[in-house]
Amino acid sequence: MKKMADAINKDDCKREFNIPLDKISVHIGYNGSTIQQHLLILEKLALLAPEIKKILYITIPCGYGITPGYPAQIEQALINCGIEGSLQKEYLDKTHTAHLRNSADIFIYGNETDSKSDSPIEYMYLGAYVLMPEWLLPNYQVLNKTTYTYYSYNSFELLTPTFNSLLNDFEQSDNSSPNGLQDFQNWMEKDNSWDVLGPLWKKLL
C-alpha cells in the first residue's frame, strides 16, 4: 500500500483529515459497526489522566459497515470521553484509505471477532503502535514470526493501563515507530498474501 500515496508523509496525511499536528493521533477501529466495540474502548479511554487526554486526538473511521444509528452513539461517547476527536464518515478509495491509515500514531482494535482483517495489518505496516485484544491474536500469526512490538489486553478492564504503557513507549521512541517495524515490513513483503497489497503501500514509508 506504500505506492498508493506518492510519497505523502505522515504529517500531510494528518492534515488531510484535520488531525492537529501537535497531538498524538489515535485511531479506533476501522468501520462503523458495533462489532468494533468503540463505546467500550472510549469508556476506558475516559479513565486516562487529564494531562494525557490533552495530548491525544481520536479519529474513528466510519466510512462503511455502518450499524444504523450507531455513529450518533459513538459521537456522544467521544464527547463523554473528554478527548478531542472526530468521526471519519466518508467512504474512501484505496489511495485515501492509505492516507487515513498513515495518519495514525496509535491504532486501537477491539473487535469481538474477525478473520484476520487486513486493516490492523495495514496500520502495523505503516508504523502505528497497535493495541489489540488477546482473543484475536490467533488470527495474526505474523506477529509471532517477527520481532515487531505490539500491545495486547485480555479484558477491557486492562485496556487503560495497557494504553498507558504503550503511550510511554511511544513518547520515548526516537523515531516514533514500534521496535521490530522493519522486520515486520520485510516479512510481509515476502509473504505471498501481501503480493497484491504490499506494493501499493510502499510510498507511504
Side-chain angles (χ1 to χ4, degrees), residues 24-143:
I24 297 169
S25 173
V26 180
H27 288 204
I28 301 175
Y30 55 82
N31 68 32
S33 169
T34 55
I35 294 173
Q36 304 275 317
Q37 305 200 92
H38 306 90
L39 304 186
L40 264 174
I41 294 171
L42 288 169
E43 179 184 311
K44 299 309 176 185
L45 293 182
L47 302 177
L48 294 169
E51 61 269 22
I52 292 178
K53 291 183 180 183
K54 289 192 299 185
I55 65 173
L56 305 178
Y57 186 91
I58 293 174
T59 299
I60 301 179
C62 290
Y64 68 97
I66 301 166
T67 300
Y70 186 50
Q73 296 179 49
I74 300 174
E75 288 178 324
Q76 186 58 55
L78 184 55
I79 292 170
N80 296 342
C81 177
I83 300 173
E84 185 181 0
S86 62
L87 275 64
Q88 193 287 311
K89 297 180 180 180
E90 296 180 13
Y91 180 81
L92 301 176
D93 62 19
K94 290 181 180 179
T95 297
H96 292 96
T97 295
H99 294 179
L100 180 65
R101 301 278 191 266
N102 198 39
S103 71
D105 297 310
I106 297 169
F107 173 66
I108 303 177
Y109 195 31
N111 265 31
E112 297 171 3
T113 182
D114 77 359
S115 56
K116 189 185 175 185
S117 167
D118 285 332
S119 297
I121 295 292
E122 292 164 357
Y123 276 106
M124 295 173 197
Y125 189 72
L126 293 174
Y129 279 66
V130 171
L131 175 58
M132 63 191 307
E134 290 186 5
W135 56 86
L136 295 183
L137 291 180
N139 297 334
Y140 295 89
Q141 291 299 313
V142 60
L143 296 175

Side-chain angles (χ1 to χ4, degrees), residues 184-195:
F184 178 81
Q185 291 168 343
N186 290 342
W187 194 94
M188 289 304 299
E189 288 167 12
K190 293 176 184 176
D191 181 16
N192 290 335
S193 67
W194 195 248
D195 283 347

